[in-house]
Amino acid sequence: MTSPGAVRAVGEAALGWIRDHRADFRLGADALDTAGDVNRTWKPLGELAQVSLSVRRATSAGDPLHDTADDLLRYAWALTGEGACFHDVLRLEPFATYALEVYAAFAAAGLRHAAFEELAATMAGTRGWRLTEQQPNRRLGVLNSERRVGLPQHRSPEQALRATWLGGLPEPWTFETASGYTLTHVVFHLTDWGGDASRVPGDIASYLGLWLPAWLDSCAEDDQWDLLAELLAVAAALPEPPAPALLHGAWSALAAAQDHGGGLPETGPGRHGRAGRRGFADCYHSTLMAAFAAALALGGHDPRRDSEGAPA
């Protein structure tokens, strides 16, 4: 059985790598270019903000995980001009939802920009916003972002949920990489990134509790470290996580895949002989997910009270 100390070691090493590479999350000159690649500019910064918030929320002040995450969250906010960049993006692309989705993590942390929210409220009230065509799991994320910012949700989250792969409780053998990432993000949006496990419907919680261990083993066997970390976060976000003994192999594999600095590549050679890549772009997301999963799994476990167990 993986001990809290072993999980903590994975989380602290991962967050240490993120801290050491935080300059790589800076927005480039193309961040306000409508032809720019959002996946290289806003996506990494938004993921840094969200994981920092989730780690801070799951841990106690004075815990190294908490304090490092708090510093990273404030650093990420400063990179946005304390929210001013979001307003610029929305003026340039009024129906692009990514500005709201990234901003929502900061808003949930109490970091807000009044002018952006005023413009976002105007756009979210239009028919064009409500009719934007999106994949069901992405729509669920937009709905959660609206809720976090305080905007009216443009449709029922339950309706969006049941249109997703996970919401339909599919045959477990149909799980593969694309559906795996879809289901993890559905759970993240449902639970507000691990903040409220009670928002997972009972039938979905039971389904995941039954099949997650098998999917984790499959990802570990194929060196799919990024997806493995996301699935471990999902396991920790459930109302009743799988027994720790069922997760031991996955946590051990994840720890073994980390480099000496705490970085975690998205994939390893696995059964397909993939080339190993460990640049920032190949490691930042999986490393963030390792820190995220560890913080949720610890559930606020305080190293100063190891002899007493996790605090209530």
Side-chain angles (χ1 to χ4, degrees), residues 24 39 74 87 178 182 280 309:
D24 292 308
N39 289 324
R74 297 183 186 283
H87 188 251
T182 296
F280 175 78

Side-chain angles (χ1 to χ4, degrees), residues 199-294:
R199 294 173 61 187
V200 182
D203 59 339
I204 292 178
S206 297
Y207 176 83
L208 289 171
L210 181 61
W211 294 112
L212 271 173
W215 295 337
L216 285 163
D217 288 347
S218 176
C219 289
E221 181 182 354
D222 197 32
D223 294 358
Q224 294 279 353
W225 308 127
D226 186 58
L227 183 53
L228 181 69
E230 289 202 7
L231 290 172
L232 283 169
V234 167
L238 295 178
E240 294 185 19
L246 297 176
L247 307 179
H248 171 76
W251 276 112
S252 296
L254 202 69
Q258 280 185 302
D259 62 30
H260 292 302
L264 181 71
E266 290 191 359
T267 62
R271 292 172 293 181
H272 305 294
R274 293 175 293 260
R277 296 185 297 185
R278 290 183 176 267
F280 175 78
D282 307 304
C283 293
Y284 88 85
H285 186 267
S286 40
T287 305
L288 280 171
M289 289 299 103
F292 176 42

